[in-house]
Amino acid sequence: MRSWAAVTLLAAAAAVLAGSARRAGLEQARLDLLTMDVQRDAVAAMALTLDSNLMGSISLLGLIEPDIKRECQGAIPPNQPRIMGLLENVARGQQIQGLFLVGRGGIVKSSWDDSGRPSTGIDVRFRPYYKEAMAGRKNIYAAVSLARGDHALYFAAPVYAGMLPGGDPVGVVVARTDLEKLQRLLARSGQPTLLLSPQGVVFASSRQDWRGMVAGAMSPSRLAEIRAVRQFGKLYDDKAPRQLPVSVAPGMAEAEGRHYAVATAAVDWNDPSGAWQLVAMEDLGNSVPAGSGVPAALLAAAVVGLLGTAALRSVRSQAAQRRAHRQLESVARDQAQRAERKMQLAQVALLMQQAPDRQARLDAFLDQCHLLFGALQGAIYRAEENGLALAASYAGVAAPARIALGEGLLGQCALERQARVVNVSDTSDTSDTSGASAVWHIRSGLGGAAPGALLLAPVQLQGRMLGAVELALLQAPDSVAYEQFLSALELLAITMTA
C-alpha cells in the first residue's frame, strides 16, 4: 500500500512539474513571438514618422524653396500668399494638421493650421524638435500642443541656406499631425500596446485609460524632470501622473488579475531625452489557457505511473523469487533433515539388531538416545501385570525397580498411554518428577545440576502396552527431536516384543 502511495505521489509530482514546464514553454514561445511582433511594429512606427513621405516632403521644402530660406532669415515678412499657399498645399497633400516655419531665433514665421488658428509669433526655441533641427538632425517629437492642448507629433527638418545640406541651418520646417495612424498601429493587435516617452510616460496606448500614466514608481525628482521638459503641456502642472498598473520590463507580468507577456522595442526619433519605447503585451490567459499543460501533465503522470508500476512489479517479482528460493531451501533442508533422521533411525535399528541379546538392545537404545536427543540419564521399564518393572538404565541413574500404574509422572504416562515433556523448573518437587523415589541429578567432574526437562513416553505396539521410557535432558527437545524420539519408540517396541 505504501509503495502504491509513493508511486501515486511521484506521478502527481511529475504531472505538476511537466504541466508547469509545458505551460512555461508555451508562454516563453508566445513571448518570443511577441518580441518579434513589437520589433516589427517599431519599424512600422519609424516608417510612419522619421522615415515617412511627410518627413521627406518637409525636408525637400527646406532645401529647394528660396522664399522659405529668405523668410527664415528674416529677409521677407511672414505669411506671404505664396508661402501660405505652398504650406497649405503640402499640408493637405500629406493630410496633416499644421505646417509652419521657424526662424533662426526660434519664433514661428508663416504658419498654416487646419483649425484656422495660426501659430505665427509663438516662441518654440525651448522645444527639443527646434534644437535638434537647428543642429542639423531631422527628428520626431511627441508632445501636447501648447496652442491646441491635444497630443500631437511634430516632424522637424532643418532649412539650409544653400540647395544642399551643409553649414548651419537657417531655420526649421515643422509639421504637426495627430496620432491617428500611430493609434491604429498600436490597436491592430487587439492587445495592450503602449508608446512610452524617455521619461516613462504613456504618451499613446491602445488602452485609453492608461494614457498619461507613468511606468514605475513616481518620486519628486522624477516628477520635476517630467515637468521640466514641458513636453506634456499643463497635464502635470498641478498633479502627478498615476502609476501604470503593470510592469513594462520585458518578460512576464501580473496586472489586474491577468498574466501578461511583455516585450519592448526602441523607437529612435532623435529625441534628446533618449529613445522612446514601444511596449506590447499579450494576455496569456487567452493564448495559453490554464489547461494548456494538462496533456503534458497527464503524459508525465502516465509515464511515471507505468514506470513505477513496472518497478513495483519487478520488486515484487524479485521478492517472490526470493521467497520461493527460501521455500525451496527450507524444503531441501526439511528433506535433508528427514533423510538424516531416517539414517539415524536406521543406525539405531542396525545397532539394536547387532546386539547379542535383549538387554544389550535396550542398552544400545539408551546410548543412541544420548547421541540423538542429548539424554544424559534415562530408564526403560517393562510392563508387567501389576505395573512397570525396571528393564534398563543409563548413566548410573538410581531408578526404582518397580512403579505402579498411575504412580508418579511415569506411571501416569503409562496409565494414560500419552507421551509428555515435563519442564523440571516448572515443578516444585524434583523427587516426584520421575514418578517414584528416584532423584534425577546430572553429575560430571565439574559438578552437578538438576535436568532441565524430562521426556516420558509409553512403549506400545498395535495398542499393546509394552512399557515406558523416561529420559532426563538438559533442555526440552524441539519438535523435530520429539517426533524422532516417537519414531525411535517403534524400534524399541519391536525390540521389547522379541
Side-chain angles (χ1 to χ4, degrees):
M1 184 61 70
R2 292 182 179 178
S3 299
W4 285 113
V7 170
T8 301
L9 289 176
L10 287 175
V16 171
L17 292 176
S20 299
R22 175 57 177 167
R23 182 176 174 82
L26 292 174
E27 290 180 350
Q28 184 60 47
R30 295 304 306 175
L31 177 60
D32 294 341
L33 290 175
L34 185 64
T35 301
M36 290 189 290
D37 288 342
V38 75
Q39 290 173 349
R40 184 170 58 248
D41 287 345
V43 173
M46 292 294 289
L48 291 174
T49 54
L50 198 62
D51 300 330
S52 65
N53 292 332
L54 173 56
M55 182 62 78
S57 297
I58 64 173
S59 298
L60 190 60
L61 283 178
L63 288 176
I64 68 174
E65 287 296 330
D67 288 343
I68 288 179
K69 300 176 187 292
R70 294 171 59 198
E71 182 174 326
C72 288
Q73 292 173 312
I76 58 176
N79 296 327
Q80 294 295 314
R82 182 179 179 280
I83 297 296
M84 292 299 295
L86 179 61
L87 295 180
E88 181 177 1
N89 288 336
V90 173
R92 294 191 182 281
Q94 295 293 332
Q95 298 180 343
I96 57 180
Q97 293 177 332
L99 185 62
F100 53 90
L101 307 178
V102 183
R104 181 178 292 169
I107 305 299
V108 176
K109 300 291 187 176
S110 296
S111 65
W112 179 90
D113 195 287
D114 63 358
S115 67
R117 295 179 295 177
S119 301
T120 302
I122 294 178
D123 186 352
V124 296
R125 77 184 102 182
F126 70 92
R127 287 294 196 183
Y129 63 77
Y130 168 76
K131 295 179 180 180
E132 288 296 300
M134 290 300 292
R137 290 185 289 273
K138 297 182 291 184
N139 65 93
I140 302 295
Y141 187 69
V144 177
S145 171
L146 290 175
R148 300 162 60 103
D150 57 357
H151 289 65
L153 292 178
Y154 293 85
F155 295 65
V159 177
Y160 293 97
M163 300 297 291
L164 295 173
D168 294 332
V170 296
V172 179
V173 181
V174 181
R176 187 188 70 247
T177 71
D178 58 23
L179 302 182
E180 180 181 356
K181 293 181 179 180
L182 192 58
Q183 280 293 149
R184 287 201 299 267
L185 174 65
L186 298 180
R188 71 181 182 180
S189 68
Q191 298 281 1
T193 307
L194 318 172
L195 179 64
L196 292 180
S197 75
Q199 299 80 23
V201 176
V202 181
F203 187 80
S205 172
S206 60
R207 287 190 52 168
Q208 291 301 313
D209 58 324
W210 285 1
R211 193 168 75 166
M213 292 185 177
V214 63
M218 179 56 62
S219 64
S221 60
R222 189 178 182 191
L223 178 60
E225 178 188 357
I226 292 174
R227 288 172 175 172
V229 296
R230 302 177 65 185
Q231 191 169 5
F232 306 100
K234 300 179 181 180
L235 289 179
Y236 310 121
D237 285 353
D238 56 357
K239 63 180 181 180
R242 292 179 298 143
Q243 183 175 345
L244 196 67
V246 60
S247 171
V248 296
M252 306 297 173
E254 304 290 333
E256 301 174 335
R258 299 180 180 274
H259 187 51
Y260 288 102
V262 181
T264 64
V267 179
D268 191 0
W269 282 341
N270 290 328
D271 190 321
S273 297
W276 288 61
Q277 292 288 325
L278 193 62
V279 181
M281 301 181 182
E282 180 177 318
D283 184 355
L284 295 174
N286 297 325
S287 55
V288 186
S292 301
V294 171
L298 293 177
L299 179 59
V303 170
V304 172
L306 290 174
L307 292 176
T309 300
L312 286 179
R313 288 179 177 174
S314 176
V315 170
R316 291 185 174 183
S317 175
Q318 292 177 0
Q321 290 177 358
R322 288 194 294 269
R323 286 196 300 271
H325 183 68
R326 288 194 296 269
Q327 289 173 354
L328 289 175
E329 289 181 341
S330 177
V331 170
R333 284 195 301 270
D334 291 343
Q335 291 177 346
Q337 290 174 354
R338 291 192 187 97
E340 184 178 0
R341 288 198 297 270
K342 289 180 179 180
M343 291 180 61
Q344 290 171 346
L345 290 175
Q347 180 69 20
V348 172
L350 178 61
L351 292 175
M352 292 176 70
Q353 287 177 359
Q354 292 176 349
D357 53 34
R358 177 185 296 177
Q359 188 64 43
R361 287 194 289 273
L362 296 179
D363 292 338
F365 177 81
L366 291 174
D367 288 340
Q368 290 302 306
C369 286
H370 168 70
L371 295 175
L372 295 179
F373 314 123
L376 299 179
Q377 291 178 328
I380 300 175
Y381 284 82
R382 182 178 65 253
E384 293 185 346
E385 183 177 353
N386 296 323
L388 300 174
L390 182 63
S393 63
Y394 176 76
V397 61
R402 300 183 63 83
I403 298 176
L405 292 179
E407 180 184 357
L409 294 177
L410 187 59
Q412 189 68 29
C413 173
L415 180 63
E416 295 176 355
R417 299 193 177 189
Q418 182 67 42
R420 60 189 299 186
V421 177
V422 178
N423 289 317
V424 176
S425 59
D426 295 338
T427 63
S428 60
D429 187 1
T430 309
S431 65
D432 192 42
T433 56
S434 67
S437 60
V439 177
W440 294 101
H441 195 76
I442 301 171
R443 295 180 176 84
S444 70
L446 298 178
L454 298 178
L455 184 55
L456 306 101
V459 180
Q460 306 177 81
L461 183 62
Q462 296 178 353
R464 178 185 172 190
M465 183 65 182
L466 301 178
V469 176
E470 183 173 4
L471 300 178
L473 311 176
L474 285 176
Q475 58 185 12
D478 58 20
S479 59
V480 175
Y482 183 71
E483 291 179 2
Q484 190 173 18
F485 170 71
L486 296 179
S487 299
L489 288 179
E490 297 178 2
L491 298 176
L492 179 60
I494 295 173
T495 299
M496 294 182 71
T497 57

